[in-house]
Amino acid sequence: MVYGTPGTEQIQLNEETIWAGRPNNNANPNALEYIPKVRELVFAGKYLEAQTLATEKVMAKTNSGMPYQSFGDLRIAFPGHTRYSDYYLDLSLDSARAIVRYEVDGVQYQRETITSFTDQVVMVRLTANRPGQITFNAQLTSPHQDVMIHSEEGNCVTLSGVSSLHEGLKGKVEFQGRLTARNQGGKIACTDGVLSVEGADEATIYVSIATNFNNYLDITGNQTERAKSYLSEALVRPFAEAKKNHVEFYRRYLTRVSLDLGEDQYKNVTTDKRVENFKDTHDAHLVATYFQFGRYLLICSSQPGGQPANLQGIWNDKLFPSWDSKYTCNINLEMNYWPSEVTNLSDLNEPLFRLIKEVSESGKETAKIMYGANGWVLHHNTDIWRITGALDKAPSGMWPSGGAWLCRHLWERYLYTGDTEFLRSVYPILKESGLFFDEIMVKEPVHNWLVVCPSNSPENVHSGSDGKATTAAGCTMDNQLIFDLWTAIISASRILDTDKEFAAHLEQRLKEMAPMQVGHWGQMQEWMFDWDDPNDVHRHVSHLYGLFPSNQISPYRTPELFDAARTSLIHRGDPSTGWSMGWKVCLWARLLDGDHAYKLITDQLTLVRNEKKKGGTYPNLFDAHPPFQIDGNFGCAAGIVEMLMQSYDGFIYLLPALPTLWKDGSVTGIIARGGFELDLNWKNGKVNRLVVKSHKGGNCRLRSLNPLNGKGLKRAKGENPNPLYAVPTIPQPLVNEKASLNKVEIAKTYLYDLPTKAGQEYILIGK
């Protein structure tokens, strides 16, 4: 993170494997005895007693997860540069560079900072418009205790340390940072941990960081040799070549997608002012920038071979950040990856998929210890050590469905790509998660429905406990997650021609599950019982998972549930934490209400300059939870695409939730399920030109508000979806069909079939 102060630059540095603690798991063996007792209390309606017992006897006692930790800072002092003028700072989304410019005593200075994708080092290029003007002192600092700083031969400073002790677990991640510089002209020296350059024409500062982390079970790497290697290899190349390689690598991801919502009318206004003025200006170019900023963040924080984006991506400046900046699996980790497939960044899922594989391994041990069950389980949080036990307190942590939600990402990968080899490779993970729920679910005593118990509707209290407990049975979100998981396993077994008996067993079990229900005030019930409070504005909208990111609720297949979801969302309200508003953009888009989705974008693009205000955006476009969490940035990026294109219902819906203000625009490179890449241009709110690039071949079914012309295009008959699409094969029944519902009017649309061949491109023109 580049702070950009002229006199004393601070560049905050992270390395994604610096976490407190060491390899461990946190399953509480007492859980096996006490979970049945907690379940009995739930079924007896003693919810607070059940929750208290779970907190005391089921949750992890010694480890609630380890924090992601900052490495420290590169600090550069420039004598006399407090007398500056004409200051300028930007982050170039086109090239992943930070630029600082200013003038001191008639000399123009520039700092150009990159974190090189190709060289694995931070580089700071220092130049001036006159020779001999570059003078500075640079050093590495760290908030960690007992770090060792040395000066080495070759004008190199090293900072070495070890991650922190936390909750009784001694940190064992050893790290080293190395600092050096290359100068043209002037003098360079290194003494007492300070790197000094005096009177140079230009200079480039280099920082490498490495740890001993190999994987979640192995920390036997050599951080010193790794840091040395990164630095020595980077120093071989001139800065111009290194920058060229970095930018080309980055742009291979960035340029896959473009979004144009109108000309940049406020190009001379600073970003913070543009956010501050957004409610009045409706600055469409800022929305497009915010969208690409979300993609930039994912490109930078989820490179293949690395760790997945955590609660703050990689941008954490603390040793003990809020919520440990780890992986919260009851919404936040999943939301981080909502833009990955649809915005053409599928390969950036690799770190997430590796995490899923690893928690499926550690989760087998937890399933046995806590539940006496086969398969694997993940509760509401994990970290770099892939812990899978229930942690924190029962109101949030007594939730065993994290694995089911993560499995949805594996299935979505298949739906977007049609990659059967990938599906074959992850099928055991899906199956073992499905097996766990098959073994631990029980029949509840009121309706005899198959339910998860104990659990909760993430972090929300219910009136069954007079608002004092979250612990419950048969929560709607659990039902939806397991429906998705088991349906994916059933579909995958057919595609892969395997496990037919297990698939048939799950089909029968699905019929025994609690269905989605409409409550007495027309809402989608959050719980098995009609407990919803119409005045509840809780940040989580977990029971609407079935609307988004899932596909179980549809205006065409389940209109009553669709309307009930809309009623629930209206009552939840709009203003909330940043990530919650990002989710609501997606939900309102799925409800085909572009103006309401846009209203949530407006709420999100509200300037926050302190950490007291709830939700909004900081001056640098980071999402304000508060404090900063990156999931709101990713949720909004995904929601913007949902406003322009949806592909969850057996067809590709073009401009399903276009706001009134976005009359003209274009988007290129977005991906629809079934392996179709789209370039879409619209005029006056209607499709003007559509290019379909077919990656896998097959029928491309299109739905549009206006007619389309194109070679090979024919009006579709019926609603038979392409089998790659995620239409549930086993629909869930509606319980209360007599509820008073506000019917949502669905606009008249045109449905077309476009037979395609793999690798071919098709151009359609709108009437």
Side-chain angles (χ1 to χ4, degrees):
M1 291 189 280
V2 179
Y3 286 74
T5 305
T8 54
E9 177 65 277
Q10 175 188 359
I11 299 179
Q12 193 272 320
L13 301 167
N14 287 325
E15 204 282 348
E16 62 185 2
T17 61
I18 300 178
W19 290 67
R22 61 182 185 268
N24 74 100
N25 206 344
N26 68 335
N28 185 347
N30 292 331
L32 188 60
E33 176 185 352
Y34 283 96
I35 283 177
K37 297 178 181 180
V38 172
R39 185 180 295 134
E40 288 177 13
L41 289 170
V42 170
F43 287 158
K46 299 177 180 180
Y47 301 103
L48 183 57
E49 291 179 44
Q51 180 171 284
T52 301
L53 183 63
T55 294
E56 292 176 352
K57 299 296 185 179
V58 175
M59 316 309 291
K61 292 305 172 188
T62 57
N63 175 10
S64 63
M66 294 293 112
Y68 174 53
Q69 299 199 297
S70 169
F71 165 85
D73 297 272
L74 166 64
R75 298 180 185 270
I76 318 169
F78 298 89
H81 284 211
T82 55
R83 308 184 306 276
Y84 64 89
S85 61
D86 299 328
Y87 177 83
Y88 175 87
L89 165 67
D90 78 16
L91 168 66
S92 169
L93 294 184
D94 291 326
S95 58
R97 297 178 303 142
I99 307 295
V100 177
R101 290 197 295 267
Y102 56 89
E103 184 174 309
V104 176
D105 297 333
V107 180
Q108 296 171 6
Y109 294 89
Q110 177 171 295
R111 302 173 196 162
E112 182 179 6
T113 304
I114 63 174
T115 304
S116 173
F117 287 101
T118 45
D119 285 314
Q120 300 300 315
V121 297
V122 176
M123 303 180 190
V124 186
R125 179 73 159 171
L126 305 170
T127 57
N129 68 341
R130 294 184 194 172
Q133 298 298 313
I134 303 300
T135 296
F136 64 85
N137 294 319
Q139 59 183 323
L140 296 174
T141 64
S142 178
H144 288 270
Q145 295 181 343
D146 302 324
V147 296
M148 294 182 293
I149 300 174
H150 296 291
S151 298
E152 296 188 356
E153 291 183 7
N155 297 313
C156 182
V157 176
T158 66
L159 186 153
S160 302
V162 63
S163 64
S164 299
L165 169 77
H166 186 63
E167 296 185 351
L169 203 61
K170 187 176 181 180
K172 291 292 185 72
V173 177
E174 298 176 8
F175 57 84
Q176 184 177 92
R178 302 181 73 85
L179 162 68
T180 192
R182 290 291 181 265
N183 59 304
Q184 292 188 14
K187 296 182 291 185
I188 185 170
C190 184
T191 307
D192 296 331
V194 178
L195 180 70
S196 300
V197 169
E198 183 177 352
D201 299 333
E202 58 184 60
T204 304
I205 299 171
Y206 297 82
V207 178
S208 67
I209 310 173
T211 77
N212 64 343
F213 180 91
N214 292 329
N215 58 57
Y216 77 106
L217 296 172
D218 179 3
I219 50 173
T220 61
N222 189 316
Q223 69 278 5
T224 301
E225 291 304 314
R226 286 172 175 172
K228 278 184 179 179
S229 176
Y230 294 149
L231 196 59
S232 62
E233 291 177 15
L235 290 170
V236 171
R237 275 172 286 283
F239 177 77
E241 181 184 343
K243 181 174 77 170
K244 179 175 180 290
N245 294 341
H246 162 78
V247 172
E248 287 179 351
F249 181 96
Y250 166 71
R251 287 184 62 78
R252 285 202 293 270
Y253 293 101
L254 181 79
T255 57
R256 295 175 186 174
V257 169
S258 68
L259 176 62
D260 182 0
L261 297 176
E263 66 175 296
D264 190 357
Q265 300 181 52
Y266 305 98
K267 61 180 67 176
N268 295 321
V269 180
T270 59
T271 302
D272 60 333
K273 287 294 182 183
R274 290 178 74 154
V275 175
E276 187 174 9
N277 298 336
F278 183 75
K279 278 186 169 64
D280 299 319
T281 60
H282 299 291
D283 183 352
H285 193 273
L286 178 65
V287 177
T289 300
Y290 188 67
F291 167 77
Q292 286 290 31
F293 181 64
R295 297 182 71 245
Y296 159 85
L297 294 173
L298 193 59
I299 294 167
C300 293
S301 62
S302 188
Q303 279 295 310
Q307 295 298 310
N310 59 47
L311 274 179
Q312 293 182 300
I314 48 175
W315 294 274
N316 163 45
D317 61 346
K318 296 179 175 64
L319 287 185
F320 301 101
S322 299
W323 306 287
D324 296 331
S325 193
K326 51 184 186 282
Y327 301 105
T328 305
C329 304
N330 64 10
I331 175 62
N332 311 95
L333 174 58
E334 293 86 355
M335 184 181 286
N336 284 1
Y337 286 87
W338 287 354
S340 58
E341 298 290 352
V342 75
T343 76
N344 213 333
L345 297 174
S346 182
D347 34 354
L348 300 190
N349 280 313
E350 190 276 336
L352 174 68
F353 294 163
R354 186 159 23 87
L355 178 148
I356 296 171
K357 180 178 185 296
E358 290 169 351
V359 294
S360 76
E361 295 165 355
S362 60
K364 288 182 181 179
E365 178 187 22
T366 300
K368 281 291 185 189
I369 291 172
M370 291 185 64
Y371 296 88
N374 293 303
W376 66 275
V377 62
L378 170 66
H379 293 82
H380 93 296
N381 241 297
T382 190
D383 58 17
I384 200 169
W385 311 116
R386 307 311 188 231
I387 61 169
T388 48
L391 56 87
D392 298 333
K393 296 181 179 180
S396 58
M398 192 62 258
W399 186 75
S401 301
W405 197 339
L406 289 179
C407 282
R408 176 72 192 182
H409 288 258
L410 302 176
W411 179 239
E412 285 284 336
R413 171 63 169 271
Y414 169 74
L415 295 175
Y416 275 95
T417 66
D419 186 343
T420 53
E421 289 311 305
F422 170 81
L423 183 61
R424 194 179 308 278
S425 71
V426 300
Y427 176 75
I429 298 174
L430 299 174
K431 179 183 176 182
E432 292 294 312
S433 180
L435 178 63
F436 168 77
F437 288 104
D438 181 41
E439 291 192 8
I440 65 100
M441 291 174 73
V442 295
K443 294 292 183 72
E444 49 81 30
V446 177
H447 311 90
N448 202 35
W449 285 331
L450 190 64
V451 298
V452 177
C453 179
S455 187
N456 64 66
S457 187
E459 303 179 34
N460 198 7
V461 297
H462 56 75
S463 62
S465 65
D466 295 323
K468 296 177 181 178
T470 68
T471 303
C475 299
T476 297
M477 186 192 215
D478 285 337
N479 303 333
Q480 293 169 339
L481 286 168
I482 294 158
F483 175 83
D484 269 357
L485 174 62
W486 285 355
T487 302
I489 293 168
I490 293 164
S491 299
S493 74
R494 293 169 182 162
I495 295 164
L496 301 174
D497 193 24
T498 187
D499 281 334
K500 294 180 181 178
E501 289 186 10
F502 184 57
H505 170 69
L506 293 184
E507 286 196 50
Q508 181 58 42
R509 295 286 268 174
L510 280 168
K511 298 174 184 177
E512 302 170 24
M513 284 180 59
M516 290 183 279
Q517 303 176 72
V518 177
H520 70 282
W521 48 276
Q523 87 284 8
M524 170 75 69
Q525 283 187 200
E526 185 164 1
W527 294 274
M528 184 171 62
F529 299 111
D530 196 350
W531 286 336
D532 300 71
D533 179 355
N535 297 313
D536 179 10
V537 291
H538 196 268
R539 63 195 177 279
H540 283 262
V541 283
S542 303
H543 53 311
L544 302 187
Y545 163 89
L547 178 64
F548 185 95
S550 183
N551 66 323
Q552 295 173 38
I553 299 171
S554 156
Y556 308 100
R557 290 179 286 104
T558 60
E560 295 90 352
L561 293 174
F562 180 82
D563 196 69
R566 182 176 182 272
T567 299
S568 289
L569 193 57
I570 289 171
H571 282 264
R572 260 315 197 255
D574 294 338
S576 190
T577 55
W579 64 262
S580 178
M581 293 193 292
W583 193 356
K584 289 172 184 175
V585 173
C586 300
L587 290 166
W588 279 111
R590 283 283 174 94
L591 289 168
L592 308 178
D593 192 334
D595 286 336
H596 207 136
Y598 180 83
K599 196 267 184 184
L600 263 299
I601 292 174
T602 304
D603 291 338
Q604 182 76 329
L605 286 174
T606 298
L607 188 66
V608 176
R609 293 193 183 274
N610 59 66
E611 293 194 350
K612 293 182 180 179
K613 186 186 180 300
K614 191 176 182 181
T617 296
Y618 292 119
N620 65 351
L621 294 187
F622 274 162
D623 165 61
H625 173 273
F628 163 55
Q629 276 189 196
I630 203 167
D631 36 30
N633 291 101
F634 292 136
C636 266
I640 289 167
V641 181
E642 288 292 317
M643 296 163 75
L644 303 177
M645 184 274 295
Q646 296 174 16
S647 64
Y648 71 93
D649 217 2
F651 51 82
I652 300 171
Y653 197 166
L654 306 172
L655 306 179
L658 188 70
T660 305
L661 289 169
W662 297 351
K663 293 187 181 302
D664 304 331
S666 65
V667 63
T668 67
I670 55 176
I671 306 295
R673 292 172 181 84
F676 300 109
E677 182 176 337
L678 308 180
D679 297 346
L680 174 62
N681 177 283
W682 66 93
K683 297 285 186 184
N684 199 28
K686 295 184 178 180
V687 176
N688 184 53
R689 186 176 188 269
L690 174 69
V691 179
V692 178
K693 302 168 188 174
S694 179
H695 293 169
K696 297 291 293 183
N699 184 51
C700 177
R701 177 156 286 180
L702 300 165
R703 187 181 287 270
S704 174
L705 291 167
N706 61 307
L708 303 174
N709 286 327
K711 187 176 181 181
L713 191 68
K714 59 184 179 181
R715 289 293 293 272
K717 294 181 180 179
E719 297 289 338
N720 301 314
N722 182 320
L724 285 181
Y725 287 117
V727 175
T729 54
I730 308 158
Q732 293 200 24
L734 177 67
V735 168
N736 187 355
E737 296 180 352
K738 297 181 180 179
S740 176
L741 301 170
N742 300 314
K743 298 296 182 184
V744 177
E745 186 175 334
I746 307 301
K748 179 184 178 183
T749 55
Y750 298 85
L751 194 64
Y752 296 96
D753 281 338
L754 177 66
T756 71
K757 294 181 180 179
Q760 295 294 309
E761 186 175 286
Y762 303 83
I763 299 174
L764 293 83
I765 305 298
K767 289 185 183 178

